[in-house]
Amino acid sequence: MAKIYASSNPGVSEREKRNMERSRRIAGQGMVLLKNEGILPLDGAVKSIALFGNGARRTIKGGTGSGDVNSRFVVNVEQGLSEAGYAVTTKEWLDRYDEKVETAREAYFQGLRAKMPEGGMAVFMELFNDPFQEPAVLPITDADIEASRADAAIYVISRNSGEGKDRRPVPGDYKLFPEEEAAIRKLTKAYSDVIVVLNTGGVMDTKVIRNMEHIGAILLMSQAGNIGGYALCDVLTGKADPCGHLTTTWAENYEDYPCADTFSHRNGDTDDEFYEEGIFVGYRYFDSFNITPAYPFGYGSSYADFEWKVTGARVEELWVKLAVEVKNISSQYAGRETIQVYYSAPQGELEKPYQELAAFAKTRLLAPGETQELILSYPVTQMASYSENEAAYVLEPGNYYIRVGVHSRKTVIAAAVEIAQKVWTKKLENKLTVDCDLPEMTAIDAEPYSYPTEQVEKDAAKVLSVPIEEIVCENVSYQKEQKLCMAPDTDHKITMDEVRNGSYTMEKLVGQLTVEELAVLCVGTSRGQYGSDSIIGSASTLCPGAAGDTTSLMIEDRNIQNVVLADGPAGLRLSATFLTDSQNNQIPGTGGIAIPGMEELLKDMPKPEIPEEARTYYQYCTAIPIATLLAQTWDMELIREAGDIVGEEMKEFGVTIWLAPGMNIHRNPLCGRNFEYYSEDPLLSGLCAAADTQGVQSHNGVGTCIKHFAFNNQEDNRMHVNSHVSERAAREIYLRGFEIAVKEAQPMSIMSSYNLVNGIHTANSYDLLTALARDEWGFEGIVMTDWGTTGGMEMEQGKTFKYGCSNAAGCIKAGNDLIMPGSQNDVDEIMKSVGAKEGEAEYPLTLSELQTCAGRILRMVASSFIYP
């Protein structure tokens, strides 16, 4: 009889209540106050609110695709305000907008259902890659204004995006709908201080709003999970301080971003993406080229006011250490402040950006008049740059100016760290040589950002000398070949229990397995064309709605259990409900579907007969705030707590690996999945992912899968795009966050991305998956593919592509241990490649290469909580 982890009790559990309250507390601290003319927090005299906008009632908890979560309910802004005691006076307007949206939604699904008989998988992919988008909002008329007179007016702007499709710099997406602009202008004529709330997971154009008169406040709510309406109300009322800071630069105009015209679909070519901006990503670009943003990286306000000063700066044991005293100088509000440290490296043989984030710290909640000293530190070697010519990280000679402040455009120079001569800090090999002529951007002739007192501060800066003779260069050695697993000296069939109790080694167990058994271990349990026997991203047979499982074919004879993998990164994406028969076997077609919109698409399909003895089970999970909001807290303890929420729910529902966190860089604001990722900065991204992982893995036997490794910075044609990027940009920007997460937290797994990098599929890249992740960084877990990377979907769609799919045997050769969700073709390709000679298979494999991958999977399985 199958083991069911889900609950048969339909009531709200104590775990749900507790974790939603934790999520609520976290969310408020990641909301960013972009503007406040004193209207917030709401005065006690405010009793009624005129609430408008597409996010007022249809508040978005998180983006679409695999990052969605099927929580029990979503608290919208209207509900949050109403339950806080405010009279919402615009229910008639909100009802009218609901009718408009539902009419458009039904038309969308009718169109998809009409395509089902002939479209097949392509229709599912259309739902996934091009989900329903709500129409433009209704206008606000004079009659609406008069009928809804209130003490305050709030307009909530929502934007949604997700997996499979990039955003567009057009009205209704990156820009305001004309109807939104007109509606807000109407409100500003009726109210002296309109509050605008941004319920968006990514950047949008704010200049129209910022330039309007009578906008009293702009608050970035972001997408705060299923309890977001309550969290927003906490902030609006002052119950919580909006102490978040931006983790991405918000430009004045979309065209200000360095790859604005060439990103993804923008130049009509989604086959090849040229990372010509090199290391100049985000604030590194804006500062180096002196482009003024709407809101700089690290920006955020508060209800409280703070003053701060640097009280100490020194180099100790090759670490830069700074002491900063922060005081809450407001008379009324408690609050938290975030102190950020940047360094400006000297220009030398290697070009450097104006400044780079080095460290940060956040105060506790400070009462009015209260002071706290923060100690911020980072290793001197962190300031090294990668030299492709020398295949090494180097500290070039000169002064490294240390800047301290509260965002990237508000700092002071606290010291200058002096490097007397060139020093190698790490000697490597170039592993990601660019495959084409790639002319990279240069700032040599550009005039960088500056401020009036900068040179004076440089001249007065305390010089901190570094004893460079104490810097030891790390030399990395790369493994040359896999060692063959030893065959056991017994005919006894070794079980996992005997390995776990020490009777036999894992190597001896692996040595007993046949090539077929090894191949089956390295391939997920789905055995049809991807999507033909399971809904995309929902291929688990053990945990309904989970993304997939490892094999169960060796449970009976060896007790090698199968483990469940579930999507994220804003919580667990599982089916909310499902039915089983009396033997605990899931009844197909009876449970809730994990993919939003799928039930609407399939509502006309025949329903299975439900036996009388059927049992209903429930898997309601907490939708935590999106990754960008978590990062905006700049509080690693809060992010660990978010991970702790997920880890607890993983064990409750029988999930071993959470396919999260996502940690690709915010290279361009149009990436459809930026909401799943933390930041444009690799240090911040890496530390957030490490904290998230530590929170999850504080629960023994479960783990994270950091993704998408690597260069998954666009969604259009994500499975077949070739990312052309220099080795330096790759290492300093796009891979560094992954490196930090591995070294700080040792996640259980890494997921390779769909795309190619410099002509090689990441799933088939030995240099990326083994040389860098394992040899250079010391990664100890398993690597798995993204779902369907070896093929299936493109054939179903009837499309051809410039670059094809990765190869299953190529995955094994690269050290990509687990191919998901799996197919018989994957198993067959691996088996025929073992022992093949050159020309007999695309990727000839040795037995030891296959055994090595299988051994890593078995070690992961052995560490799972599923074993008592």
Side-chain angles (χ1 to χ4, degrees):
M1 180 179 291
K3 181 174 182 179
I4 301 294
Y5 286 87
S7 172
S8 59
N9 184 346
V12 180
S13 69
E14 290 303 313
R15 183 269 307 164
E16 285 182 84
K17 296 175 185 177
R18 180 179 67 254
N19 285 349
M20 283 190 289
E21 281 304 308
R22 297 167 76 192
S23 178
R24 173 179 181 172
R25 178 170 48 82
I26 294 167
Q29 297 188 63
M31 295 182 186
V32 183
L33 189 61
L34 298 175
K35 176 182 179 180
N36 188 20
E37 299 294 333
I39 187 67
L40 292 179
L42 292 171
D43 187 271
V46 175
K47 304 297 184 184
S48 59
I49 294 175
L51 181 65
F52 293 95
N54 58 354
R57 182 177 286 173
R58 312 183 77 86
T59 310
I60 297 169
K61 73 179 188 301
T64 63
S66 62
D68 205 351
V69 177
N70 290 315
S71 53
R72 185 182 292 269
F73 52 78
V74 176
V75 177
N76 61 31
V77 175
E78 178 190 23
Q79 182 180 349
L81 290 170
S82 296
E83 293 190 20
Y86 294 100
V88 175
T89 63
T90 50
K91 294 186 181 296
E92 194 274 335
W93 186 94
L94 295 171
D95 289 344
R96 293 201 326 263
Y97 181 61
D98 273 353
E99 292 176 10
K100 179 179 181 179
V101 173
E102 290 307 314
T103 299
R105 178 180 170 84
E106 179 56 30
Y108 168 82
F109 281 102
Q110 281 183 353
L112 289 184
R113 287 192 291 268
K115 299 177 185 178
M116 284 290 291
E118 297 182 0
M121 182 62 182
V123 181
F124 289 98
M125 293 307 302
E126 185 174 345
L127 173 65
F128 198 72
N129 293 336
D130 193 13
F132 171 69
Q133 296 291 324
E134 294 185 2
V137 295
L138 295 171
I140 298 176
T141 66
D142 290 337
D144 292 326
I145 294 290
E146 290 305 314
S148 62
R149 279 290 175 185
D151 299 325
I154 299 177
Y155 196 95
V156 185
I157 300 171
S158 286
R159 291 293 184 270
N160 209 355
S161 65
E163 186 170 6
K165 183 179 181 180
D166 288 316
R167 299 172 62 195
R168 268 62 179 166
V170 297
D173 191 345
Y174 187 81
K175 299 180 179 180
L176 291 181
F177 278 121
E179 293 87 346
E180 286 173 324
E181 179 180 348
I184 297 172
R185 289 193 186 280
K186 191 86 171 180
L187 283 178
T188 61
K189 290 180 171 56
Y191 293 87
S192 59
D193 289 295
V194 175
I195 300 165
V196 176
V197 173
L198 304 179
N199 174 214
T200 174
V203 177
M204 62 180 296
D205 192 324
T206 60
K207 63 178 172 293
V208 171
I209 304 169
R210 286 185 291 108
N211 291 324
M212 281 187 193
E213 294 183 356
H214 304 301
I215 297 295
I218 303 174
L219 176 64
L220 176 59
M221 173 191 184
S222 189
Q223 293 169 346
N226 69 300
I227 211 76
Y230 292 152
L232 175 68
C233 195
D234 291 342
V235 168
L236 293 175
T237 59
K239 183 178 179 180
D241 178 52
C243 53
H245 286 249
L246 296 178
T247 62
T248 292
T249 303
W250 285 47
E252 179 69 14
N253 302 290
Y254 170 73
E255 292 74 18
D256 292 341
Y257 291 100
C259 56
D261 295 331
T262 59
F263 174 76
S264 184
H265 54 80
R266 292 283 292 160
N267 61 356
D269 177 12
T270 58
D271 292 322
D272 292 277
E273 188 72 8
F274 299 95
Y275 288 51
E276 294 178 343
E277 69 277 14
I279 61 172
F280 295 107
V281 177
Y283 68 89
R284 289 168 169 82
Y285 170 76
F286 283 82
D287 295 343
S288 299
F289 289 85
N290 195 21
I291 298 172
T292 302
Y295 299 108
F297 175 82
Y299 177 83
S301 189
S302 170
Y303 295 149
D305 294 313
F306 300 91
E307 65 178 18
W308 53 270
K309 60 182 178 181
V310 178
T311 57
R314 67 187 189 278
V315 171
E316 183 179 296
E317 296 181 344
L318 298 180
W319 280 69
V320 178
K321 297 187 176 182
L322 300 154
V324 181
E325 184 181 277
V326 184
K327 182 177 182 179
N328 181 348
I329 59 172
S330 65
S331 60
Q332 185 174 3
Y333 300 112
R336 303 182 70 192
E337 181 62 287
T338 297
I339 299 298
Q340 302 160 35
V341 177
Y342 300 81
Y343 66 87
S344 294
Q347 301 299 327
E349 295 176 14
L350 298 174
E351 192 173 353
K352 316 293 197 313
Y354 173 77
Q355 62 181 351
E356 300 180 68
L357 183 68
F360 55 88
K362 195 166 187 175
T363 69
R364 63 178 179 268
L365 187 68
L366 298 178
E370 189 176 4
T371 299
Q372 181 182 357
E373 183 182 62
L374 298 175
I375 304 297
L376 300 94
S377 61
Y378 66 93
V380 168
T381 54
Q382 184 177 308
M383 299 188 293
S385 302
Y386 188 77
S387 168
E388 294 178 8
N389 290 336
E390 299 169 90
Y393 279 94
V394 298
L395 284 168
E396 295 196 295
N399 284 338
Y400 291 69
Y401 289 102
I402 311 306
R403 304 173 185 272
V404 180
V406 291
H407 61 72
S408 61
R409 292 291 177 99
K410 190 175 182 179
T411 64
V412 297
I413 294 175
V417 174
E418 181 185 41
I419 301 295
Q421 64 186 54
K422 183 176 179 179
V423 182
W424 282 7
T425 63
K426 184 182 294 185
K427 186 67 178 76
L428 305 166
E429 294 176 5
N430 289 327
K431 293 295 183 181
L432 299 172
T433 304
V434 69
D435 62 335
C436 64
D437 181 25
L438 185 68
E440 284 192 310
M441 181 179 294
T442 175
I444 290 176
D445 296 325
E447 189 69 31
Y449 163 75
S450 185
Y451 51 94
T453 61
E454 182 174 25
Q455 189 58 50
V456 174
E457 292 174 11
K458 286 183 176 181
D459 294 340
K462 178 183 178 182
V463 177
L464 307 175
S465 296
V466 174
I468 58 175
E469 68 279 0
E470 296 180 10
I471 298 176
V472 178
C473 179
E474 177 185 351
N475 289 282
V476 172
S477 61
Y478 298 89
Q479 56 184 298
K480 301 302 180 184
E481 60 181 288
Q482 305 288 357
K483 293 182 179 179
L484 181 68
C485 293
M486 292 178 59
D489 53 5
T490 176
D491 293 331
H492 169 69
K493 183 172 281 191
I494 300 171
T495 67
M496 182 65 85
D497 298 310
E498 292 170 319
V499 171
R500 296 183 78 249
N501 69 23
S503 299
Y504 292 91
T505 65
M506 186 66 77
E507 286 76 17
K508 288 185 178 291
L509 189 158
V510 172
Q512 279 193 341
L513 301 180
T514 66
V515 169
E516 182 175 7
E517 288 174 321
L518 292 167
V520 166
L521 260 175
C522 292
V523 176
T525 55
S526 180
R527 282 297 177 268
Q529 279 297 98
Y530 181 42
S532 63
D533 65 345
S534 66
I535 294 171
I536 181 173
S538 185
S540 174
T541 58
L542 281 177
C543 181
D549 312 322
T550 58
T551 185
S552 60
L553 296 182
M554 285 175 271
I555 292 178
E556 290 189 8
D557 61 346
R558 294 187 185 272
N559 194 27
I560 297 175
Q561 297 289 324
N562 49 344
V563 300
V564 174
L565 300 79
D567 264 320
L572 293 179
R573 184 169 69 104
L574 307 175
S575 296
T577 62
F578 64 93
L579 275 67
T580 70
D581 61 21
S582 59
Q583 298 302 305
N584 279 352
N585 298 307
Q586 184 189 357
I587 303 172
T590 61
I593 302 176
I595 306 295
M598 196 67 73
E599 291 185 2
E600 181 72 16
L601 179 63
L602 301 176
K603 73 176 186 178
D604 294 337
M605 301 291 286
K607 300 295 188 294
E609 185 175 339
I610 309 299
E612 290 185 7
E613 70 275 13
R615 303 170 182 171
T616 302
Y617 289 92
Y618 304 89
Q619 299 183 127
Y620 290 113
C621 302
T622 306
I624 62 175
I626 61 170
T628 302
L629 188 152
L630 291 179
Q632 286 170 182
T633 68
W634 293 67
D635 186 329
M636 298 305 104
E637 285 304 316
L638 283 180
I639 297 175
R640 286 187 191 93
E641 184 172 1
D644 180 66
I645 290 172
V646 176
E648 178 187 7
E649 296 182 6
M650 290 171 70
K651 295 190 79 166
E652 178 177 336
F653 295 117
V655 175
T656 294
I657 295 181
W658 184 42
L659 303 177
M663 50 183 308
N664 294 103
I665 291 295
H666 291 178
R667 176 179 177 238
N668 183 284
L670 299 187
C671 175
R673 296 179 83 173
N674 273 352
F675 70 95
E676 292 191 38
Y677 310 142
Y678 297 111
S679 174
E680 68 188 20
D681 182 79
L683 173 67
L684 182 56
S685 296
L687 292 175
C688 288
D692 218 344
T693 294
Q694 289 163 348
V696 170
Q697 295 183 177
S698 66
H699 298 266
N700 291 333
V702 300
T704 64
C705 179
I706 58 175
K707 65 181 185 183
H708 308 83
F709 191 55
F711 314 100
N712 191 114
N713 301 106
Q714 73 181 62
E715 287 301 299
D716 285 14
N717 195 33
R718 61 184 174 144
M719 298 190 73
H720 303 281
V721 63
N722 187 3
S723 297
H724 307 276
V725 58
S726 71
E727 181 114 11
R728 182 184 179 191
R731 287 181 177 274
E732 290 190 14
I733 304 296
Y734 299 99
L735 299 179
R736 188 177 172 215
F738 288 96
E739 179 181 5
I740 291 169
V742 167
K743 290 181 174 180
E744 293 286 329
Q746 273 296 340
M748 185 177 281
S749 56
I750 294 174
M751 181 191 291
S752 62
S753 54
Y754 287 123
N755 54 281
L756 301 85
V757 57
N758 295 333
I760 301 174
H761 278 281
T762 62
N764 291 162
S765 175
Y766 179 92
D767 285 333
L768 183 67
L769 306 183
T770 297
L772 270 78
R774 294 188 170 105
D775 297 341
E776 292 188 13
W777 306 344
F779 177 61
E780 299 172 356
I782 70 165
V783 178
M784 71 178 73
T785 71
D786 205 340
W787 267 230
T789 190
T790 54
M793 286 194 292
E794 75 292 334
M795 290 182 285
E796 299 282 358
Q797 292 173 300
K799 295 181 180 179
T800 58
F801 299 90
K802 180 177 179 179
Y803 302 103
C805 297
S806 62
N807 179 279
C811 290
I812 301 301
K813 198 166 196 70
N816 204 335
D817 308 299
L818 181 59
I819 299 166
M820 294 300 296
S823 71
Q824 189 59 45
N825 288 343
D826 293 330
V827 175
D828 295 342
E829 180 67 23
I830 293 169
M831 290 179 61
K832 80 173 187 180
S833 301
V834 175
K837 298 177 181 178
E838 291 294 333
E840 294 178 346
E842 186 174 353
Y843 288 89
L845 293 173
T846 64
L847 178 60
S848 62
E849 288 171 325
L850 180 56
Q851 288 176 321
T852 299
C853 289
R856 283 192 288 254
I857 292 172
L858 288 176
R859 289 185 182 89
M860 178 274 293
V861 172
S863 71
S864 172
F865 74 96
I866 57 178
Y867 289 98

